[in-house]
Amino acid sequence: MPATLDRSDAQPSPTSPAGESDTETRLLRRLLGRPRSAKEKLWAWLGPAIITVIGGVLRLWDVGRPHQLIFDETYYVKQGWSTVQNGYELRIPEGYEGADADKLFTNNAWPQAYGTDADMVVHPPVGKWLIGWGEQLFGINDSFGWRFAVAICGTLTIFLVGRAAWHLFRSALLANVAALLIAVEGMSFVHSRVGILDGILAFWVVAAFVALLADRDWARRRLAAKVAAAKDSGQFVGAMQLGGPWLGLRPWRWVAGICLGLAIGTKWSGGFFLVAFGLMSVWWDLGARRAVGVRRYYSATFVKDALPALVSMVVTSVVVYVASWWGWFRSTAGYQRDWGAQNPAVKDTGLQPDSSLFAWLPDSLRSLWKYHLDMFNSAASITSPHTYESNPWSWMIQARPVLFFAEYPKRGEEGCGSNECAKIITSLGNVSIWWVATVGIAVLLFMWLLRRDWRAGAILAGLAAGWLPWFAYQERTIFTFYAVVMAPFAVLIVTYLCGMALGSERASAVRRRVGAIAVGAYVTVAVAFFIFWWPIYTAQVVPRGFWAMHNWFPSWI
């Protein structure tokens, strides 16, 4: 599949499919390119589905090992359980903070790890609900349950990346390449086996991205049908020609709004994707209206596409986000739950929740507002140095991965056959993917800005939403593993480059064969890298020298 549409895609078909006029067929060609065969569509579903099953087995196999809280699991595994039990998070009692509380979970004495007071936390509840439901399903004493939800989210992400590649490239081969690459991407793999929030965030973001790609196809088919009907009947004149038709409710956009609301309800950084994806989707609408001959495509897009998108995406996301706090709303003892009742909105404090300007708001919403102010201030204060903190400049090249877990058994301990062994979980991504994607950013920028390839722009929009905002928070204590939400877009960058390597459908057989060999060799290398690092992703007991072989740079230790 080439990186740009074949010229043949722009030519009218000699015959139109049943139910389509010649005008509609020509418009569909212009808007969506060459129709794909039933075989191509089948393998675009079946191939990624098979890879997803294999990737799911890898993610779920022995996911409860080690039976210890890993890195930030110390927060989210505990908070997940208290959230499903109470509707809100409970504070760890004095005397049991940190490692002491973690040992309670490891030794199945978890009730002692909770006090009776509500805890103030810095992340919304969606991810913790999912983690908690996994714990509820398998039992809080089972570490498999601690990580079940993230494993399922990581597994489904494989299929979604494959579907994203299909919508972008209309190539079953590239859909399978993308699914396979995300299945062997190390950071995504590790985040599918550690009970923290970032892998869940990545799942909702990719789900929203795929929904908007599906909406693009749906909207363009509907636009082509409506405009063709108007042209064939001689009614594509006057107001219809100036603005084009209304497209209706657009169900996939509502799905995207729901997914983005759940992404923001997992971590606030999901809001960056709402902005990027919303602008991206409306820009596609503008291009579609212009392509079918609408004259006032700017004003028409604003009125008939952007304003409805404001409701279906932005308003829906806000409603879903607020609804995700339902456990806190139902409670009487959640953090700041009764703040509104204790602080009537009668003060002259401007844009504050106790201002008389907001007396019309229910106490519960003012209480939630106050809670969010506390969350923001607490998050902004996290500036203390950390051994594994990193600058966003280094994320694409994986300069400073996080050591999530490390133990060093001696000979005879846990099957160690050397004088000293290592048992490691690192967040290092598959560098054969990340390093190529880093170079690929320049290629996609060229193709988007100078060749007007919408696919390059779409992929870069996702990457930018997950990466660029963090440059404004460099004073904060932040980590490379936040880039796991960028991993699907890094994979799509590489997939785009693979499409360029394969060559156009009009290229010679020799050219295509050489391209296929190059792509096959690259994918083999990516899989080999994953196999090489797999013991270091899954806390296998290995000789200390074997662990040292993986530390190519001092910053990787």
Side-chain angles (χ1 to χ4, degrees):
M1 177 66 185
T4 55
L5 291 175
D6 287 332
R7 293 182 184 275
S8 60
D9 285 350
Q11 302 301 318
S13 173
T15 58
S16 299
E20 286 184 10
S21 68
D22 289 341
T23 305
E24 183 177 351
T25 300
R26 287 195 298 270
L27 289 175
L28 283 172
R29 282 268 184 157
R30 187 181 304 165
L31 293 171
L32 293 173
R34 173 181 67 82
R36 267 42 186 180
S37 67
K39 182 179 180 181
E40 289 175 296
K41 294 177 182 178
L42 172 64
W43 279 106
W45 278 95
L46 188 59
I50 294 171
I51 295 169
T52 298
V53 171
I54 297 171
V57 171
L58 290 172
R59 282 155 172 75
L60 286 164
W61 178 81
D62 206 18
V63 73
R65 181 178 178 276
H67 184 70
Q68 296 168 249
L69 293 175
I70 300 169
F71 199 63
D72 279 356
E73 282 186 340
T74 187
Y75 304 113
Y76 306 122
V77 167
K78 299 169 192 170
Q79 292 173 3
W81 182 249
S82 63
T83 297
V84 297
Q85 296 298 309
N86 304 286
Y88 58 91
E89 299 86 349
L90 288 174
R91 184 178 301 164
I92 305 300
E94 292 186 10
Y96 286 103
E97 293 89 351
D100 291 333
D102 290 354
K103 290 178 182 178
L104 295 174
F105 271 81
T106 303
N107 297 318
N108 301 334
W110 58 267
Q112 300 174 48
Y114 295 108
T116 57
D117 296 330
D119 197 9
M120 196 285 294
V121 297
V122 296
H123 294 302
V126 170
K128 288 169 279 190
W129 278 108
L130 293 178
I131 292 172
W133 285 332
E135 294 168 336
Q136 205 168 38
L137 184 62
F138 293 96
I140 188 60
N141 293 327
D142 189 343
S143 50
F144 183 93
W146 301 351
R147 300 161 190 151
F148 177 74
V150 296
I152 295 300
C153 287
T155 299
L156 294 176
T157 299
I158 298 172
F159 184 75
L160 289 173
V161 170
R163 291 307 299 166
W166 166 253
H167 284 291
L168 287 165
F169 308 114
R170 287 293 192 272
S171 166
L173 174 59
L174 292 182
N176 284 276
V177 167
L180 180 57
L181 289 178
I182 195 66
V184 299
E185 200 296 293
M187 190 185 299
S188 296
F189 178 75
V190 169
H191 278 264
S192 301
R193 295 175 58 88
V194 178
I196 59 180
L197 303 179
D198 300 81
I200 298 173
L201 171 65
F203 165 73
W204 292 121
V205 165
V206 177
F209 186 64
V210 173
L212 288 175
L213 290 170
D215 171 75
R216 183 182 184 274
D217 290 354
W218 183 94
R220 290 183 170 225
R221 292 184 186 283
R222 192 170 182 86
L223 180 65
K226 285 179 172 286
V227 170
K231 287 186 174 182
D232 290 342
S233 63
Q235 296 177 4
F236 195 67
V237 295
M240 173 61 79
Q241 188 175 17
L242 289 176
W246 292 88
L247 298 181
L249 291 177
R250 302 181 65 162
W252 284 111
R253 241 184 199 165
W254 291 89
V255 172
I258 292 170
C259 291
L260 288 167
L262 293 169
I264 300 168
T266 302
K267 295 187 84 171
W268 283 352
S269 54
F272 300 131
F273 291 92
L274 175 60
V275 175
F277 288 173
L279 294 174
M280 174 188 73
S281 182
V282 172
W283 188 255
W284 291 342
D285 292 334
L286 188 150
R289 289 188 181 273
R290 181 179 182 180
V292 299
V294 171
R295 290 184 177 179
R296 295 180 179 173
Y297 44 85
Y298 281 109
S299 59
T301 299
F302 177 76
V303 173
K304 297 184 177 183
D305 300 310
L307 292 180
L310 184 66
V311 176
S312 58
M313 291 185 66
V314 178
V315 174
T316 298
S317 293
V318 171
V319 170
V320 169
Y321 176 80
V322 173
S324 73
W325 288 85
W326 66 274
W328 180 87
F329 280 114
R330 289 184 59 192
S331 75
T332 58
Y335 178 80
Q336 298 286 31
R337 182 62 185 84
D338 59 351
W339 183 91
Q342 296 177 0
N343 296 268
V346 295
K347 297 181 180 179
D348 183 18
T349 52
L351 300 179
Q352 293 296 318
D354 58 357
S355 169
S356 59
L357 295 175
F358 304 104
W360 53 274
L361 270 180
D363 288 347
S364 59
L365 289 178
R366 292 193 304 109
S367 297
L368 186 62
W369 182 359
K370 171 59 176 174
Y371 191 166
H372 278 60
L373 291 176
D374 291 350
M375 290 168 66
F376 177 83
N377 292 330
S378 178
S381 68
I382 302 175
T383 58
S384 56
H386 192 284
T387 303
Y388 289 101
E389 67 180 326
S390 62
N391 190 290
W393 286 108
S394 69
W395 290 0
M396 286 298 297
I397 60 172
Q398 296 291 296
R400 186 55 170 159
V402 177
L403 197 62
F404 278 177
F405 175 81
E407 287 185 348
Y408 302 99
K410 303 296 184 182
R411 183 182 293 275
E413 298 175 351
E414 301 185 60
C416 176
S418 303
N419 289 333
E420 188 174 16
C421 292
K423 187 178 175 184
I424 302 294
I425 298 177
T426 177
S427 73
L428 179 71
N430 187 325
V431 292
S432 69
I433 295 172
W434 285 93
W435 289 353
V436 172
T438 302
V439 176
I441 291 174
V443 177
L444 268 69
L445 280 171
F446 174 85
M447 297 303 296
W448 175 46
L449 295 174
L450 300 182
R451 294 293 183 86
R452 292 185 173 183
D453 190 340
W454 71 271
R455 294 165 298 181
I459 296 168
L460 290 173
L463 188 78
W467 186 22
L468 297 185
W470 290 105
F471 286 90
Y473 299 98
Q474 295 184 62
E475 76 284 355
R476 289 263 311 273
T477 309
I478 53 180
F479 302 92
T480 299
F481 72 80
Y482 293 178
V484 69
V485 74
M486 298 158 53
F489 302 99
V491 163
L492 290 173
I493 290 175
V494 174
T495 306
Y496 188 104
L497 299 179
C498 288
M500 296 182 74
L502 286 172
S504 164
E505 292 175 343
R506 295 175 287 107
S508 67
V510 174
R511 167 69 179 82
R512 295 281 289 178
R513 190 177 305 114
V514 171
I517 292 172
V519 171
Y522 169 75
V523 172
T524 301
V525 169
V527 173
F529 271 52
F530 174 76
I531 294 172
F532 179 62
W533 260 277
W534 179 82
I536 312 302
Y537 291 146
T538 56
Q540 304 301 308
V541 177
V542 297
R544 189 71 178 259
F546 181 79
W547 158 233
M549 289 170 55
H550 294 73
N551 297 323
W552 294 357
F553 305 99
S555 62
W556 282 11
I557 300 174

